Amino acid sequence: MALYQEQQLKVYNSLTSTKEVFTPILPGKVGMYVCGPTVYNFVHLGNCRTFISFDLVYRYLKHLGYQVRYVRNITDVGHMVDDADQGEDKIAKRARIEQIEPMEIVQKYTINFHHILDQFNNLTPSIEPTATGHIIEQIQVIQEIIQKGYAYEVNGSVYFDVLKYNNDHHYGVLSGRKIEDLISNTRDLDGQSDKRNPLDFALWKNAEAQHIMRWPSPWGDGFPGWHLECTAMSTKYLGNHFDIHGGGMDLKFPHHECEIAQNQACSGNTPVNYWMHANMLTLNGKKMAKSTGNNILPEELFSGENSILSKAFAPSVARFFILQAHYRSILDFSDEAILAAEKGFYRLMEALKAINDLPTSNTSSVDISSWRQNCYSAMNDDFNSPILIAQLFEAVRIINLTKESKETITASDLTLLSTTMHDFIFDVLGLQDPVDQQADNDKLEGTVNMLIQMRNLARANKDFAMSDQIRDELAKLGITLKDGKEGTTFSI
């Protein structure tokens, strides 16, 4: 029997603002879509919190025995500055600043994104589609929405008719915003664009002559709107009606609201059963954002090369710190907070290592079965990782008391304690012992250095094809070789 048949999971649904018993559309299978990054800059720690939160959800669903199709997109085109319909594409803007091709920007920051999440020990999604790889599907969705009468074309651009949609459906069903309030807040923008109404949002934008990223369409050369890509890709891989859609709290409106409208207009279906939103990470009490400079990059956290923290911290310590707060609560990051988390993390790791040396008895003075169910009850309550961590520290207390002969435990209970702790610490929370992480890093460094030596030998033998192949294959893995006067070095 699968664990999900024994455990009753409840999920907080942003659509209804209540915790609901999780019942997937197909028994034993879960379809989950999470909005991924716009790859125009290095991912900061606030972004990582969202992806770590949904990695926790993914891990627990898999642990319960569900077959999960986890889709997380890469936004590599069509995302305007400040998420507006007007202005400059973020990727094109970064390409202009760095004086390189937009797709070089995409490649550079996608590799960085994957590298950072690897260090945080995030699992890879089942599918990671890109917006540029699904232009055809996006055009098809637009055509369907136009055919249903909820969109119109003006001067090569296509806009979603929000008022027409709201006459038949409910625009604001997710965010709770009223159409009257939205209209009054945007009335002063009338006449500033081709839109019939300032609430209308772009499905397709006509590309001006200087716009680099452009594709042919029935309405002329242009590029898709930001909201459209997630509708096209989520439904392509999960169907018009799927289980979970996640993202940061800042995406609730307008992005997710627009997704619901697009899907409803196109297919007639309410797209998602459970909407989930992860809250923000603040830094020293203020919102963490690239635009304000109040942010810290994960690499700066891992290396200690920053003006905020007193020392460097291992990726697992940072992950543990993030999971000490519930995903729906605001979490403030500071030097004091992560130092405290580090102490707790190493207490947990030390207790885990001490399990194998505990003495066993014919009787147990502690109820390990009830403690185990408490761990599941915590996660069953909307993935409540801080309560789970509290239960794990209850196990630390049991381990320490048993070590001091103040508690007794049978061999079978000890096995259950050890197995449960390993399951929740490593499989569900996704933590790693930094000693093991360092060993993996040492193995990677040794392997790359061996390949560098092989490449140097190939170059000495004028086997430039092999030399280039080694360099190119490493580049595909996100490892860049740099040839200098003092030899070849590498960076990840």
Side-chain angles (χ1 to χ4, degrees):
M1 180 183 291
L3 276 170
Y4 66 77
Q5 294 173 294
E6 303 173 9
Q7 305 292 332
Q8 186 182 76
L9 172 63
K10 289 187 176 182
V11 176
Y12 183 86
N13 191 348
S14 297
L15 193 63
T16 60
S17 299
T18 57
K19 290 179 187 176
E20 301 175 5
V21 174
F22 179 68
T23 306
I25 296 167
L26 297 175
K29 297 184 178 182
V30 178
M32 180 171 77
Y33 185 91
V34 172
C35 292
T38 303
V39 283
Y40 71 99
N41 208 333
F42 294 114
V43 61
H44 68 60
L45 196 60
N47 306 135
C48 292
R49 185 196 180 186
T50 295
F51 300 121
I52 289 171
S53 295
F54 285 102
D55 184 63
L56 174 73
V57 173
Y58 182 36
R59 284 174 173 275
Y60 189 59
L61 291 171
K62 285 168 65 74
H63 175 75
L64 289 179
Y66 286 111
Q67 181 183 338
V68 186
R69 177 176 286 181
Y70 175 21
V71 182
R72 187 186 65 209
N73 72 300
I74 295 287
T75 296
D76 56 355
V77 68
H79 191 169
M80 295 298 190
V81 174
D82 298 324
D83 306 335
D85 288 335
Q86 303 297 324
E88 189 173 12
D89 185 289
K90 290 181 178 180
I91 292 166
K93 181 179 181 181
R94 176 60 60 178
R96 180 172 52 77
I97 292 170
E98 297 192 20
Q99 296 186 324
I100 58 177
E101 285 289 326
M103 279 303 158
E104 288 184 73
I105 292 294
V106 167
Q107 181 75 357
K108 174 181 177 179
Y109 294 115
T110 299
I111 288 173
N112 169 259
F113 173 68
H114 289 151
H115 173 58
I116 293 301
L117 291 196
D118 284 346
Q119 288 184 278
F120 277 122
N121 198 32
N122 274 28
L123 298 177
T124 304
S126 314
I127 304 172
E128 193 173 51
T130 63
T132 55
H134 295 76
I135 299 295
I136 292 173
E137 288 86 350
Q138 292 177 77
I139 289 173
Q140 289 171 341
V141 171
I142 296 171
Q143 290 174 317
E144 190 69 26
I145 294 174
I146 291 174
Q147 185 179 340
K148 297 289 178 62
Y150 294 111
Y152 56 92
E153 183 267 334
V154 180
N155 297 327
S157 294
V158 181
Y159 297 99
F160 189 92
D161 193 331
V162 171
L163 293 184
K164 175 73 179 298
Y165 172 82
N166 193 64
N167 287 337
D168 303 326
H169 305 284
H170 179 193
Y171 185 79
V173 64
L174 178 65
S175 62
R177 303 194 184 201
K178 296 181 179 179
I179 196 80
E180 298 82 6
D181 295 337
L182 293 171
I183 291 171
S184 64
N185 290 336
T186 57
R187 191 164 288 149
D188 59 332
L189 298 177
D190 281 344
Q192 293 188 12
S193 75
D194 293 327
K195 299 178 186 180
R196 292 176 183 171
N197 186 286
L199 284 182
D200 297 348
F201 56 89
L203 298 175
W204 186 266
K205 287 291 289 181
N206 178 52
E208 298 177 357
Q210 69 272 21
H211 200 95
I212 302 172
M213 303 184 82
R214 57 203 297 139
W215 289 264
S217 81
W219 316 283
D221 284 2
F223 51 94
W226 171 41
H227 311 305
L228 185 68
E229 62 175 284
C230 289
T231 293
M233 290 187 282
S234 63
T235 55
K236 178 180 174 68
Y237 297 109
L238 298 174
N240 289 329
H241 187 205
F242 55 95
D243 297 298
I244 297 172
H245 193 314
M249 194 75 76
D250 57 325
L251 299 181
K252 194 173 184 179
F253 185 89
H255 185 53
H256 291 160
E257 196 74 72
C258 292
E259 276 193 66
I260 291 174
Q262 288 169 163
N263 199 296
Q264 185 83 49
C266 182
S267 69
N269 287 319
T270 300
V272 180
N273 281 355
Y274 304 90
W275 285 89
M276 298 179 65
H277 293 92
N279 218 323
M280 72 173 70
L281 181 69
T282 57
L283 177 58
N284 293 321
K286 297 179 182 179
K287 181 180 178 181
M288 189 177 291
K290 300 185 188 87
S291 56
T292 62
N294 190 56
N295 73 87
I296 184 168
L297 300 179
E299 292 286 11
E300 296 171 337
L301 172 66
F302 306 153
S303 67
E305 296 175 3
N306 61 81
S307 59
I308 298 168
L309 303 176
S310 56
K311 60 188 284 293
F313 293 91
S316 260
V317 170
R319 184 181 177 102
F320 180 71
F321 164 77
I322 287 170
L323 295 176
Q324 278 187 310
H326 190 264
Y327 76 90
R328 286 192 290 113
S329 65
I330 294 174
L331 173 62
D332 189 54
F333 181 85
S334 66
D335 189 52
E336 295 80 8
I338 195 167
L339 279 168
E342 184 180 52
K343 290 179 181 178
F345 174 81
Y346 283 111
R347 273 185 60 213
L348 193 60
M349 290 298 149
E350 287 166 9
L352 194 61
K353 291 173 183 174
I355 285 181
N356 294 332
D357 298 325
L358 290 182
T360 57
S361 176
N362 292 327
T363 59
S364 287
S365 59
V366 289
D367 187 346
I368 300 301
S369 293
S370 294
W371 166 81
R372 176 180 180 271
Q373 183 54 48
N374 289 341
C375 292
Y376 279 103
S377 296
M379 287 301 292
N380 291 340
D381 183 17
D382 192 32
F383 310 96
N384 202 322
S385 57
I387 300 300
L388 169 62
I389 289 171
Q391 289 299 326
L392 293 175
F393 277 106
E394 173 62 18
V396 172
R397 188 187 71 83
I398 292 170
I399 290 167
N400 290 335
L401 289 175
T402 304
K403 191 162 51 175
E404 296 166 5
S405 300
K406 295 178 181 178
E407 297 280 10
T408 59
I409 191 168
T410 64
S412 60
D413 275 352
L414 183 61
T415 299
L416 184 62
L417 176 69
S418 178
T419 301
T420 305
M421 287 193 75
H422 275 82
D423 284 348
F424 280 101
I425 291 172
F426 299 124
D427 293 345
V428 175
L429 293 178
L431 301 176
Q432 289 180 299
D433 190 326
V435 174
D436 296 335
Q437 280 185 291
Q438 186 57 50
D440 290 341
N441 291 340
D442 291 344
K443 290 176 184 176
L444 174 62
E445 184 174 354
T447 302
V448 175
N449 283 331
M450 179 185 70
L451 289 168
I452 288 173
Q453 291 175 12
M454 292 172 62
R455 180 169 175 262
N456 289 339
L457 181 62
R459 294 168 79 185
N461 293 332
K462 297 186 178 181
D463 186 354
F464 298 114
M466 176 59 70
S467 169
D468 291 346
Q469 184 181 357
I470 292 172
R471 179 200 61 205
D472 295 343
E473 291 298 324
L474 286 173
K476 290 178 184 177
L477 298 172
I479 301 169
T480 304
L481 299 185
K482 297 178 182 177
D483 296 319
K485 293 181 180 179
E486 298 181 0
T488 303
T489 59
F490 73 92
S491 62
I492 301 177

